Amino acid sequence: MRAAPTILHLDMDAFYASVEQASKPSLQGKAVIVGGLGPRGVVATASYEARRFGVHSAMPMGQARRLCPNGAYLIPRFSLYRQVSDVVMAMLRELSPLVEPLSLDEAFVDLEAGGVAFDSRTARETGERLRADIRAATGLSGSVGLAGSKMLAKVASEEAKPAGLLLIEPGTERELLAPMSVRTLPGVGPATGEHLRRAGITTVGELAEAGEDELVRMVGRSAGAGLYRMALGLDDRPVVAERDAKSVSVEDTFDVDLHDRVRIRGEVQRLADRCVQRLRGSGHSGRTIVLKVRRYDFSTLTRSETLRGPTDDPAVVREAAARLLEGVDTTGGVRLLGVGVTGLADYTQEDLFAQSLAAEPDGAEGAAGSGGEAAEAGGAEAEAEGATGARKAAGTPGEPEPSPERRWAAGSDVRHAVYGPGWVQGSGVGRVTVRFEQPGSEPGRVRTFRVDDPELEPSDPLPLVGETV
């Protein structure tokens, strides 16, 4: 624990939804829900306007639509979110060499290591300046927590939301934490919270009063000791600048169960190529190929194959994934597929025979969400992208999908030869509705076109702050 509040935690406010509102002027101040738009999609992020209706992340999209029928429901645009995140993270690294990103929109910063803060006054000034700089550079708001430990800094940023700053003075931790719910503490989820509630413990203060011995008896030695330390506000974890990625993976959830074996093989091949793109983008190679299959009854199978050396060759990953698929029964239908690579390295062993020299495949079978699921390098993004599952699978089994240029998902960027840049509000019955506006403009006009209009094309996202087109 530090004697000065020089650990900063930044959490961008409703990040995905805020980016969408900033890039689409007509949605500012409106309820915006980002996620998978199909029948099995879930909410990735909801704007604060949507949260007033009870919509929250990880909620099934169908439930969100019932709670907030007039909200704007949009697909996620991860390329734009990464661009904005890169800007924010670069600003944090200007403050200190010790920046620990937790996701695209969240990070810890050791201000003392950067020489920019040594006491409460300089820490607060740095936090306020950071918030103003982020607003100027991106047009977005972030909440800042400042404290003498990582745990308390994160608690402070949560209490500061939205668009605020809270500094916890060292020595006031227990007084601040005492009335808060036990769910405030990291690692206390619904199950642990309910277990503690049944024992009459609902606040952090009651947790501290229970004592370490009682908590150990209730939840076990490791968890009990950890809970007691957190209840006292004790946390001596350092800010770690780099987190080594353990794995890279991609997955898609399908609106309609896949039954056709040829179609399933094609999807696995496509996922393998996407996985390799991410692998190369992160500067890694990997030795173990993982296939994930969630079947019609929600049971999840994982199969893995370990190569003799690390690879980033798409052909090797495709062939390994195809071999793994051969050992999986998909007769009843498949609702989710995923391909991942683990055992990451920062070099590649050029081995043309790697696929034939692979070790014997090994696998694990269990309920949905069981062990063996490959975690995405970058954490929260994987959770969001896997949750949204924005892939369509309707149609006749084996039928080729329509050209991506003719699929107009709500929220996607487009450009018209006459009217310029805009975004898709919706499509159906052969028509697509587009609102023509861009970041910084006035709310734009809405026009409707045929889905095959040759003058309408998909487009890359425009920057949130900068020159208009």
Side-chain angles (χ1 to χ4, degrees):
M1 297 290 294
R2 298 187 178 186
T6 54
I7 293 182
L8 179 148
H9 181 260
L10 171 71
D11 195 352
M12 300 297 290
D13 299 320
F15 184 53
Y16 297 168
S18 294
V19 170
E20 298 299 337
Q21 289 176 319
S23 64
K24 301 174 171 65
S26 60
L27 297 183
Q28 293 178 11
K30 305 289 180 62
V32 174
I33 300 93
V34 179
L37 305 185
R40 291 173 177 169
V42 300
V43 176
T45 306
S47 70
Y48 286 98
E49 295 84 358
R51 295 180 191 186
R52 297 191 190 108
F53 293 88
V55 180
H56 57 77
S57 60
M59 172 181 285
M61 193 61 78
Q63 182 181 356
R65 289 183 184 276
R66 290 191 293 273
L67 292 172
C68 186
N70 296 319
Y73 290 83
L74 310 174
I75 62 166
R77 297 185 295 162
F78 286 108
S79 63
L80 179 58
Y81 306 153
R82 290 190 196 99
Q83 291 173 21
V84 178
S85 176
D86 288 345
V87 172
V88 173
M89 295 300 166
M91 297 171 72
L92 297 183
R93 293 186 179 96
E94 291 178 359
L95 295 177
S96 173
L98 295 183
V99 176
E100 182 178 340
L102 303 179
S103 63
L104 289 177
D105 62 333
E106 185 180 2
F108 288 110
V109 184
D110 187 332
L111 301 180
E112 186 176 325
V116 295
F118 299 97
D119 55 21
S120 296
R121 180 184 63 81
T122 53
R124 183 181 295 276
E125 289 174 354
T126 301
E128 292 289 9
R129 186 168 60 251
L130 173 65
R131 292 180 57 244
D133 290 346
I134 290 174
R135 173 73 76 174
T138 68
L140 305 178
S141 67
S143 296
V144 168
L146 292 156
S149 71
K150 290 166 69 172
M151 183 197 80
L152 290 168
K154 185 171 175 63
V155 168
S157 69
E158 188 64 31
E159 291 295 306
K161 282 184 170 293
L165 180 149
L166 177 63
L167 183 148
I168 300 177
E169 291 284 0
T172 67
E173 297 91 350
R174 291 192 63 178
E175 180 182 357
L176 176 79
L177 289 172
M180 294 183 178
S181 166
V182 294
R183 292 290 305 279
T184 303
L185 300 178
V188 180
T192 302
E194 176 61 20
H195 185 61
L196 293 171
R197 187 196 65 79
R198 290 198 299 268
I201 299 174
T202 59
T203 68
V204 177
E206 292 169 345
L207 201 62
E209 290 173 3
E212 182 173 358
D213 291 342
E214 177 63 15
L215 294 176
V216 167
R217 185 189 65 79
M218 292 174 56
V219 298
R221 177 161 300 280
S222 177
L227 279 176
Y228 184 64
R229 283 182 57 81
M230 287 191 293
L232 299 180
L234 301 177
D235 177 20
D236 56 3
R237 294 173 299 157
V239 176
V240 180
E242 295 295 336
R243 288 183 158 202
D244 292 334
K246 295 181 180 179
S247 62
V248 172
S249 67
V250 295
E251 61 183 43
D252 275 343
T253 301
F254 304 98
D255 292 345
V256 177
D257 289 346
L258 302 185
H259 293 83
D260 181 67
R261 190 72 177 184
V262 174
R263 174 70 182 279
I264 294 171
R265 281 197 294 267
E267 293 293 340
V268 168
Q269 300 294 288
R270 183 185 58 80
L271 287 166
D273 287 341
R274 280 175 53 197
C275 184
V276 169
Q277 288 178 3
R278 260 188 208 171
L279 188 69
R280 289 178 168 179
S282 68
H284 289 95
S285 58
R287 295 187 65 229
T288 301
I289 315 303
V290 180
L291 175 71
K292 175 180 174 182
V293 180
R294 181 163 296 157
R295 300 187 292 191
Y296 69 98
D297 59 357
F298 285 89
S299 63
T300 300
L301 311 178
T302 59
R303 296 287 185 266
S304 64
E305 178 175 299
T306 300
L307 308 175
R308 289 285 297 271
T311 185
D312 64 355
D313 186 335
V316 173
V317 176
R318 282 197 301 267
E319 291 180 22
R323 285 194 299 275
L324 293 171
L325 179 63
E326 291 306 311
V328 177
D329 179 11
T330 61
T331 306
V334 170
R335 61 184 292 119
L336 176 148
L337 289 169
V339 174
V341 178
T342 67
L344 301 190
D346 56 4
Y347 66 93
T348 301
Q349 178 173 313
E350 297 296 343
D351 183 354
L352 298 178
F353 304 101
Q355 58 267 47
S356 63
L357 297 175
E360 287 298 316
D362 55 85
E365 180 169 349
S370 63
E373 299 182 14
E376 167 72 35
E381 181 188 339
E383 182 178 345
E385 188 165 1
T388 57
R391 182 133 180 109
K392 299 288 184 181
T396 305
E399 178 183 336
E401 291 192 23
S403 169
E405 288 76 17
R406 299 300 98 187
R407 294 173 61 194
W408 306 107
S412 56
D413 298 279
V414 296
R415 178 178 290 274
H416 192 273
V418 176
Y419 302 110
W423 58 279
V424 174
Q425 286 203 166
S427 64
V429 293
R431 295 288 186 268
V432 55
T433 301
V434 177
R435 185 180 288 273
F436 290 97
E437 59 186 5
Q438 55 189 299
S441 73
E442 294 297 319
R445 294 190 60 181
V446 175
R447 298 181 184 275
T448 300
F449 307 91
R450 299 192 320 273
V451 293
D452 58 353
D453 190 317
E455 294 187 311
L456 187 68
E457 295 292 340
S459 175
D460 292 329
L462 297 174
L464 298 188
V465 176
E467 295 183 0
T468 57
V469 179

